[in-house]
Amino acid sequence: MRDESQPLPEPGQPDPSRRAFLKHSSALAALALTPPVALTAIDHSLDERLAAAFEQLPLQVRINGQAQQLSVEPRVTLLDLLREQLGLTGTKKGCDHGQCGACTVHVDGQRVNACLTLALTTEGREVTTIEGLGSEDKLHCMQEAFLRHDGFQCGYCTPGQIMSAVACVREGHADTPEQVREYMSGNICRCGAYANIVAAILDVKASGQKV
Amino acid sequence: MDINPKNQPVDRVDGRQKVTGSAKYFAEFALPRTAYCVIVGSTIARGTLDQLDTKRAAAAPGVLGVFTHLNMPAIPGWDAPVGGQADGPPPQPTAETYRILRGTKILFDGQPIAMVVADTFERATYAASLVKATYTRQTPKTDLNKHLAAAIAPSIPWMKDYSRGQAEAYKTAPVVLEADYVVPTEVHNPMEMHGILAQWTSPTSLLLYAKTQGVNATQRAMAQAFKLDPRNVKVHTEFMGGGFGMGLRTWPQETAVVAIARQLGRPVKLVMTRSQMFQLVGYRPHTRQTIRMGADATGKLVGLVHEATAETATYEDFTEGTVNMSKFLYACPSMQTRYRLVRLDRGVPIWMRGPGEATGAFALESAMDEMAHKLHLDPLEFRLRNYSETDPEHNRPYSSKNLREAYERGAAAIGWRNRPATPGSQREGEWLVGYGMSTGTFNAMRWQATVRVVLQADGSLLVQSAVTDIGPGTGTALTIIAHNVLGVPLDRIKVQYGDTSLPPAPTQGGSAIVSTVGSAVFDTCSAVKQTLVELATRPGAPLAGHQAEELALADGQLFVEAKLATQVAVAELLRQNQLASIDKTTESKGGPEQQKYSFYSYSVHFVRVRVNPRTGVVRVTKTVSVADSGRIISPKTAASQMIGGVAGGIGMALTEEAVLDHRFGRYVNNNLADYHVAVHADVPEIETITIDKPDYLLNPMGAKGMGEIALIGFAAAVANAVFNATGRRVRELPITLDKLLAVS
């Protein structure tokens, strides 16, 4: 939503600056929180750097069961928040375009591509990453199955495959090999461990274990 | 005791780290004050950079530097070797020079024109979007098909024309085949993006977290580029999110990041974008091949000519073994090969899994299928009639070759007898069904490596090598080899790898690492065992009077094989001798026998496909791949290598093609949504078979490589199966449905 009384630049007259964005986007919480003195400075084009200082927004989210009170820029993706700010590097960046599934995490139990999820949209939600699924000493049954079936080689797509696999079983999409292949096709494995991944998922499903 | 028994499958030694996400890849090491680097690429493929406006970028929040040809810090040793190898020499410089951020000449699309560094990834990315450039654009030459006349013979002796027997003897044969085959540009696309994390730990020492298949090669390249003592360049790559060849050299942007990190006095991290993965870190070159083949009425090859012309950059000649396997795979008395390059306005290619042999096998093994059809012979039978018992290229024996058995076992497993003799004659519902097969082969090599082994008094074992494990399971194989020699239980063995602080190893590539580093582990563990035996058998010692040959090691006990009760615990032996450990470091390489024999691994691929005659859709429904690659050290990870080759092969056969818009010299499908690698739904039931017969002429484990052969030939098997299903011969990969429309 934007304030209709503040028309956006005409086509052909681009004004893509951050100043313009801040001024014109009344829906942005940033504006409400930005002190008038700063806005004046922005109006006078004093410094892009000043604008940046006010672009951090509060975020409350539970990550792997822990409540987090964070301050992030609106443009930060959940993936970059996890990897670059929280040190949760188990979630991988494979394309940054939602095309490979390496960044798959659970938000409120649903599998999502963290690279397509702006961090601020997880406000009040529960995020689970591979680190929250199990540990080296206490593997989740899906991690056990991947290990046993050698469902990986380089290991880079593996956390995303496992998070997706857990969701796949929970969704009820793991009844046949064909179904697993279809519902796991958003997770690319360039090493080509697919056959073993499918075997691991079917194994977990057949065991009746709670995932 | 046989120290090389048939090995049992074991779980990957680094598996727990990989399934829990605790395995750390290069971009995941947290160094305080790390700055983020983003590359701005050229939007033209050929021409000159006129103006570069970096003012807005430099003023953007958090920006620490905008580096261009105007202010790029000096790199004293720019002519550093690119390092690494797969099965031939690295790319050779031409008269043209490419130096990143040096000068205004643009040689390929996406060539870096600026590198923007800021304190966060988001700020660097935003600032990079503010860099504006103007160019004088020249029409780029990027289409191999249009510039075949400009083909040159590479100057490298390794690639010179080859001939034996009578020139063009194929023409004299009663049955002649001449056909052209095309493999398009394909891109490695490992899941992990390329890049580097560089920190100067002092004015003369460097710490690098790299995405390299050889930490020692990167160490050498960077030491030379910055005139450093190699010992002061530490490179770490314990985990690498796939390489497939792209990590076989040091890329210019890596060197640039190191220079920038020095200038800024803080660690700098570059993680490229997926689209830059198409532009800046190599690819499998678009290659046109011609096969001319003649056979007599009995199905014997009379003559063969294999010619290949591949794209390369204007600034480096990249060559690979595209025509190599034609020289020795079949017993053909007369044969010629010719390999040519066309220099285009493109980034330079680099070996991609299977490398040139995978490209070459598509042509040769498709042609074998075509000739068999002309001769009214079963294609498997045709290959058997031309089976080479000795190497016709070098006139020497093979060290071992069990290809015949591989053919037999693969044929039985796929149900080759069900293959319809007449193409297009078998149906399942509305689908046409066909079977195809092909052969793959690749050099089996053994290079040089050093390994340190430490047997501790508590009975545990430490094995150290700088080698990188890019995913094939090197660490697991080395653990098994150490276990086989010293009897230390698998869970008491720790293999450390992927770091230059460890004993030097070659770059991981060319399917040579188990053979090379595994042999060094074998030899060093054998030296440790020798010391143990000496301690145990000297006068007064627990096994005094026994000879070394009588003794064996298992489960941490040294015992007399004939008298199992006569034994001593390794730990006890060390304690008695007041030794904290036995610590050995040895260098290991192949001997003179390497000149007396020809060493190759072999694969046979069988596939069954269904083709929808109305839509042209091809589905691979079953595959059987057989590896004749010596003793299998780690059956579980070896099988994974094979199924990985099949997945890669399905992509190569059916979907993978990096498409260029030649008006701009630019990719139009430079992302994973448009460049289609195989996904779960594309990959069917896969059966893998290993012949598992040791070849002790190559190394003491009897193991050969299998990473390349897993892929080599596979695409031809699919093309041959599609022909069998439809009667339509597709000679240009990938076999997309447009090439099969109206097949019935």
Side-chain angles (χ1 to χ4, degrees), chain B residues 17-62:
Chain B
Q17 288 163 277
K18 287 175 173 172
V19 299
T20 56
S22 66
K24 283 217 179 297
Y25 299 78
F26 86 90
E28 298 168 356
F29 289 86
L31 301 178
R33 297 179 69 241
T34 292
Y36 294 78
C37 179
V38 171
I39 292 175
V40 181
S42 160
T43 55
I44 66 166
R46 180 187 172 90
T48 317
L49 182 61
D50 291 336
Q51 286 184 318
L52 195 56
D53 178 4
T54 58
K55 244 182 270 153
R56 287 185 68 206

Side-chain angles (χ1 to χ4, degrees), chain B residues 543-622:
Chain B
L543 306 181
H546 290 285
Q547 301 300 308
E549 309 79 66
E550 298 172 71
L551 304 180
L553 274 158
D555 297 331
Q557 302 284 326
L558 185 63
F559 59 91
V560 180
E561 274 203 283
K563 262 194 306 188
L564 289 183
T566 309
Q567 62 178 33
V568 57
V570 166
E572 175 65 13
L573 201 54
L574 289 181
R575 198 188 57 75
Q576 284 173 7
N577 288 278
Q578 284 149 12
L579 290 172
S581 65
I582 297 175
D583 188 338
K584 299 277 182 193
T585 301
T586 61
E587 189 180 276
S588 170
K589 61 180 174 184
E593 69 283 354
Q594 302 227 322
Q595 307 307 319
K596 291 186 207 155
Y597 299 90
S598 291
F599 296 85
Y600 294 103
S601 289
Y602 298 92
S603 59
V604 182
H605 302 286
F606 288 89
V607 305
R608 181 179 183 277
V609 301
R610 296 199 303 181
V611 181
N612 190 300
R614 274 193 288 194
T615 63
V617 166
V618 179
R619 303 293 300 173
V620 177
T621 57
K622 162 92 181 156

Side-chain angles (χ1 to χ4, degrees), chain A residues 4-175:
Chain A
E4 296 295 334
S5 67
Q6 298 278 351
L8 289 171
E10 291 296 312
Q13 293 184 320
D15 184 4
S17 76
R18 300 142 69 82
R19 283 181 292 278
F21 186 65
L22 273 182
K23 280 174 67 183
H24 295 309
S25 305
S26 68
L28 249 196
L31 193 63
L33 299 171
T34 307
V37 60
L39 278 182
T40 309
I42 291 165
D43 266 341
H44 290 95
S45 310
L46 285 185
D47 195 351
E48 278 272 5
R49 287 159 209 265
L50 189 58
F54 299 99
E55 289 176 359
Q56 302 271 334
L57 293 179
L59 168 64
Q60 293 192 44
V61 56
R62 286 179 74 82
I63 299 179
N64 297 332
Q66 288 204 325
Q68 301 268 2
Q69 303 235 4
L70 305 167
S71 183
V72 300
E73 286 187 66
R75 62 185 168 185
V76 173
T77 64
L78 177 59
L79 174 60
D80 290 321
L81 173 70
L82 292 170
R83 284 174 66 81
E84 304 299 337
Q85 296 184 40
L86 301 179
L88 292 169
T89 54
T91 305
K92 306 302 184 189
K93 180 180 282 192
C95 69
D96 229 6
H97 285 73
Q99 298 169 342
C100 77
C103 65
T104 306
V105 298
H106 297 169
V107 175
D108 288 348
Q110 303 285 310
R111 49 177 162 167
V112 302
N113 288 327
C115 75
L116 292 186
T117 305
L118 288 171
L120 286 179
T121 67
T122 62
E123 174 71 29
R125 294 175 184 266
E126 174 85 41
V127 174
T128 306
T129 71
I130 190 74
E131 289 92 345
L133 198 65
S135 63
E136 283 187 52
D137 298 331
K138 200 174 172 204
L139 296 181
H140 181 273
C141 63
M142 190 63 77
Q143 292 170 317
E144 283 273 6
F146 268 63
L147 182 61
R148 201 166 52 246
H149 288 277
D150 208 36
F152 50 87
Q153 291 179 41
C154 79
Y156 197 80
C157 75
T158 311
Q161 297 277 358
I162 290 173
M163 297 309 287
S164 218
V166 168
C168 185
V169 174
R170 286 180 186 162
E171 292 159 10
H173 293 146
D175 292 329

Side-chain angles (χ1 to χ4, degrees), chain B residues 390-410:
Chain B
T390 57
D391 176 3
E393 180 187 2
H394 301 98
N395 289 315
R396 63 189 180 193
Y398 294 114
S399 61
S400 65
K401 180 175 181 179
N402 304 294
L403 182 55
R404 213 184 287 276
E405 181 181 344
Y407 284 138
E408 285 164 11
R409 291 182 61 183

Side-chain angles (χ1 to χ4, degrees), chain B residues 471-496:
Chain B
T474 306
T476 308
L478 299 183
T479 302
I480 293 169
I481 291 167
H483 165 77
N484 287 350
V485 179
L486 284 172
V488 176
L490 290 165
D491 61 1
R492 302 299 315 279
I493 300 173
K494 168 76 182 162
V495 180
Q496 291 179 328

